[in-house]
Amino acid sequence: MTHTLKKQCAVVALAVAAAFGAAQDVAAQSGEIFMPVLVYRTGAYAPNGIPWADGYVDYIKLVNERDGGVNGIKLSFEECETGYATDRGVECYERLKSKKPVLVNPLSTGITYALTEKVAADKIALFTTGYGRADSADGSVFAWNFPLLGTYWSAADMLVQHVAKKGSLKGKKIALVYHDSPYGKEPIRLLEEHAKKHGFEFIKLPVTHPGVEQKATWLQVRQQRPDYVFLWGWGVMNSTSIKEAIAVSYPRLQMYGVWWSSAEPDVLPAEAAGKGYNGIALGHSDERDFPIHKDMVKFLYEKGKGTAKSKDEVGSVLYNRGMISAMLSVEAIKKAQEKHGKRVVTGEEVRWGAENLNIDAAKVKALGFGDMVQPLKTSCRDHEGVRRGRIHTWDGKDWSYTSDWIEADDKFLRPLVEASAKAYAAEKKITPRDCSKEK
Amino acid sequence: MIYREAGQFKTTYASDQQLFPILQDRVFVIGFLVFAFGVMPYIGSKYLFSAILIPFLILSLAAVGLNILVGYCGQVSLGTGAFMSIGAYTAYNFAVRMPDLNLLIVFVLAGVFAAIVGVLFGIPSLRIKGFYLAVATLAAQFFTDWLFARVKWFTNDSASGSVAAPPLTIFGSTITEPVEKYLLVLAIVCVFALVARNLTRGAIGRSWMATRDMDVAAEVIGIRPLRAKLSAFAVSSFFAGVAGALWAFVNLGSWEPLAFDVNRSFQLLFMVIIGGLGSILGSFLGAAFIVILPLVLNQLPTWLGIPLSTAMISHIEFMVFGALIVFFLIVEPHGLARLWAIGKEKLRLWPFPH
């Protein structure tokens, strides 16, 4: 009875094997550096996923178009739709793996968790620019993970510092309204530590995927009246939260989103009522007038090669984030080429490049990013590079900065990161590298 | 012609009752098993194993489990995801807390715990049936979602709620290569498929089917509904539990409760319905339809060299997939397995249909 199953397997197997065999050959011959792009352009998170993907892809296109590739080596890429589902993300990774990618940017904390082990085995660098698992900042255990530009723990730390400046937190209440997934749960451990340190009450309010059903959550907010609400949402959940906050008349000024919760698609649906809502901007907000944006318009959009629907999207918060993610990936490739020669580098070499990044303010400026990216320096010990951000506030039309630079407290964070990484290493039987011996 | 049985005489009870009484079936099955075990590992790519065949096989196993419950015993369940998650977290806790335990025993224990919980949630089936029972099993789904997301003990105090399976070490050797994982899963699935097939052919399977067809009549002829229904829940959950442990350990490696949410239960129910209720083969066909087809649809435009945007490909995938579900259910409401059976009957008469 089971033989049709085998027959089907065989047919599909042959088809797939043939297709992938062919694809692999093409990539190997072309002499290009391949970058898979895991995106979600459909589903509940699409409004946020699309600008990120456009920014990421546009930057790759720009490097090819304007500079003729990285040191003369063209970049090739292929998008794969994950729909923010971890299993589809893993499938995408496996699918694109045969094309010898040097790095992967999974754009989901869940997929990051699932890939963490796989990338180490496959020797592919895992870039999680501004997201991913916080403990992977410890490069001695997580050799292949690069949570560049800050983790959720850094973000939570910055937010606590910011609100602590407004007055002692002792006896106050902070609620975390979070997406009930690894992404949303990531800051919990840090906030619990902070609650102990500062003496505030920490309230956890989970919201299940996709996040449109939040009535119960906000009734709790109304009941408990927290002094601050931190919002760890994504996609349609954010705008719903803001609307629900309006419904229970919770002041938007006391709401702070993480960077995924403070972009245009989140506040626009709430219209003017979203006014006063804050978010932590990780280096950048919706800056639009730097040379890189002009280059995007000049080299891509004026020639009809842009990925986004219109050039108005260039410079929006998430577009910038996608662009910066791609920029850091490309810089890691460049760094690898510095050491290993201007050729098609391997994942292992790119990993080294990412671990030895040193991008100062002048370099950021030279790349055309103005001051959108803070100076960043990675090492074996620190895969995060930089942990600085500013608060930006939505005025109903635009984002504007409303705080000075805040730097996450590494003295407070580092022991937590190391403890968590150590636990992971013990669980996985990984021997941490001795960072003093790394060149 | 290919399937003509003329000249095949069964002269003993044993030959009449064997698993595949028709010679051609036997040849095909043995041939495909040889292919799956002996040839496939050499010709398949890593992608094929890790992204297509392993998920397909594991979900087939879960679908077989659900088919025993829904297809053979007639107890509609929306809680398969829950039983899978119980298997996954049981296996995780045993593997983390008793690291020396053989992984195969861990998988069996995963099934046992899932079976116990399955029986507990199957108790309402003695009083209610049909849609009402489906809603009651839905409770299992929400309960486990809540349990594994909120009770930290089950996730070993993981900060993000996501847990990672320890390395797959069986009899001293660690399995890392996709092809080895594939063979492991294939072996387990083959054993379970055989068990399921034999269970459904035997007395216990008959009691399930009698209960499904008319429970009052079954009771009258001496079948105890309590035993029939609860055993179906137990066996079904056992299968689902083992599938859940495999899904977590072999396929995902690291997971969160979302991997076993209500969508997974729906997905499995659709596999059973599209594949064919009350058919082991149908479970595999249904799993192939639901797991493999979307991936093929997603990649087809690239293979054919049609440049389409990622979002467009995704949307087309959803549309075509939906249309195909409707098409198959209209053409053959009894599922793909029935289509296959019809095909076989036609082959038997070919080339002289009457």
Side-chain angles (χ1 to χ4, degrees), chain A residues 161-175:
Chain A
Q161 281 189 38
H162 178 73
V163 295
K165 267 185 219 152
K166 296 183 169 185
S168 167
L169 289 175
K170 196 152 187 66
K172 292 204 170 157
K173 287 182 189 169
I174 294 181

Side-chain angles (χ1 to χ4, degrees), chain A residues 1-10 12-17 19-20 39 41-43 78-81 84 86-88 90-92 94-99 110-111 113-114 117-118 122 153 178-183 185-186 188-189 192 204 206-209 420 424 427-429, chain B residues 3 20 25 28-29 32-33 35-36 40 43 45-48 50-53 56 92 149-150 152 156-162 164-167 186 190 197 247 251-254 256-258 264 279 281 284-285 288 292 294-296 298-299 302-303 310-311 314-315 317-318 340 344:
Chain A
M1 284 292 272
T2 51
H3 52 273
T4 33
L5 131 80
K6 314 284 176 187
K7 204 172 194 171
Q8 282 207 337
C9 280
V12 175
L14 290 175
V16 173
F20 278 87
V39 296
R41 290 177 180 275
T42 58
E78 190 176 321
E79 281 189 21
C80 187
E81 171 74 26
Y84 201 67
T86 301
D87 51 351
R88 279 307 279 266
V90 173
E91 190 270 328
C92 278
E94 296 287 349
R95 187 196 299 179
L96 298 174
K97 198 168 83 181
S98 58
K99 297 192 175 182
I111 302 175
Y113 269 85
E117 248 179 285
K118 290 179 194 276
D122 300 329
W153 286 9
Y178 64 97
H179 190 262
D180 201 0
S181 67
Y183 151 64
K185 287 178 189 162
E186 194 66 31
I188 290 176
R189 179 165 286 180
E192 280 170 349
K204 289 184 283 182
V207 173
T208 45
H209 160 92
S420 179
Y424 178 84
E427 203 174 301
K428 292 286 171 190
K429 302 186 175 73
Chain B
Y3 238 98
F20 298 104
D25 276 348
F28 271 128
V29 168
F32 275 106
L33 284 180
F35 177 79
M40 207 55 210
I43 61 166
S45 66
K46 278 185 182 174
Y47 167 72
L48 180 67
S50 51
I52 293 185
L53 290 182
F56 158 69
Y92 172 74
R150 301 279 167 266
K152 290 227 158 183
N156 209 5
D157 294 324
S158 153
S160 62
S162 170
L186 183 67
C190 281
R197 180 105 176 91
W247 188 253
N251 187 39
L252 298 178
S254 140
E256 47 191 293
L258 204 65
R264 181 73 60 210
S279 158
L281 170 73
F284 285 94
L285 294 179
I292 300 177
L295 298 181
V296 173
N298 191 263
Q299 295 175 56
T302 322
W303 294 343
T310 318
S314 231
H315 290 140
E317 176 200 322
F318 291 137
W340 170 248
K344 219 161 78 169

Side-chain angles (χ1 to χ4, degrees), chain B residues 65 68-69 73 75-77 83 114-126 133 137 208 227-239:
Chain B
I68 285 175
L69 190 63
C73 197
Q75 311 295 311
V76 186
S77 165
F83 304 130
I116 294 170
V117 180
V119 168
L120 285 180
F121 279 96
I123 290 172
S125 71
L126 303 173
L133 180 63
T137 52
W208 292 340
R227 212 151 105 184
K229 285 178 180 173
L230 291 190
S231 63
F233 265 99
V235 172
S236 158
S237 313
F238 188 91
F239 275 57

Side-chain angles (χ1 to χ4, degrees), chain B residues 15-74:
Chain B
S15 65
D16 195 36
Q17 287 176 348
Q18 59 183 316
L19 202 55
F20 298 104
I22 303 164
L23 176 72
Q24 287 90 335
D25 276 348
R26 275 200 302 280
V27 171
F28 271 128
V29 168
I30 292 167
F32 275 106
L33 284 180
V34 168
F35 177 79
F37 278 102
V39 182
M40 207 55 210
Y42 297 100
I43 61 166
S45 66
K46 278 185 182 174
Y47 167 72
L48 180 67
F49 291 127
S50 51
I52 293 185
L53 290 182
I54 292 174
F56 158 69
L57 284 170
I58 299 174
L59 289 182
S60 301
L61 180 59
V64 169
L66 183 64
N67 215 335
I68 285 175
L69 190 63
V70 182
Y72 285 95
C73 197

Side-chain angles (χ1 to χ4, degrees), chain B residues 31 51 70 159 195 218 271:
Chain B
V70 182
V195 168
M271 281 179 198

Side-chain angles (χ1 to χ4, degrees), chain A residues 25 29 62 234 347 350 388 400 411:
Chain A
D25 289 342
Q29 283 162 9
L62 181 71
W234 190 215
V350 171
R388 303 184 76 195
S400 54
K411 280 199 193 85

